[in-house]
Amino acid sequence: RQTMAKLLRIATCMRAHGIHQFPDPLYNRPRHFSPGEYQEITDFDGATLLFPTSMNLQAPAYRQALNACGAPPLGLPH
């Protein structure tokens, strides 16, 4: 899938820009996971991204990495 390949490139780029906890995309949203483990589940064109609660999606470094990687506002309110 083209979306999955794009999101994998974004995830790799985000980690290269210091956002080490940026998740790889998943094909399916998990049915069960521990409450409080993830702060955001983003459905992006059919792919799912699970952001760990320890990740600060409001941090300037996160936003700068999104811009550097040409990413949409993943995990941010839109």
Side-chain angles (χ1 to χ4, degrees), residues 1-75:
R1 286 160 83 178
Q2 189 174 9
T3 297
M4 192 63 72
K6 178 181 179 181
L7 287 174
L8 280 170
R9 284 192 302 276
I10 289 170
T12 300
C13 181
M14 292 292 286
R15 291 190 290 265
H17 280 84
I19 311 301
H20 303 292
Q21 292 181 297
F22 195 90
D24 281 336
L26 304 170
Y27 283 106
N28 299 307
R29 179 181 181 179
R31 291 189 183 149
H32 304 287
F33 49 87
S34 302
E37 189 176 355
Y38 299 100
Q39 61 184 324
E40 182 89 23
I41 299 172
T42 300
D43 180 0
F44 183 77
D45 289 344
T48 297
L49 295 170
L50 302 177
F51 295 95
T53 54
S54 56
M55 232 178 118
N56 181 358
L57 302 179
Q58 303 305 318
Y62 179 78
R63 291 173 181 268
Q64 289 169 357
L66 284 176
N67 288 335
C69 295
L74 299 168

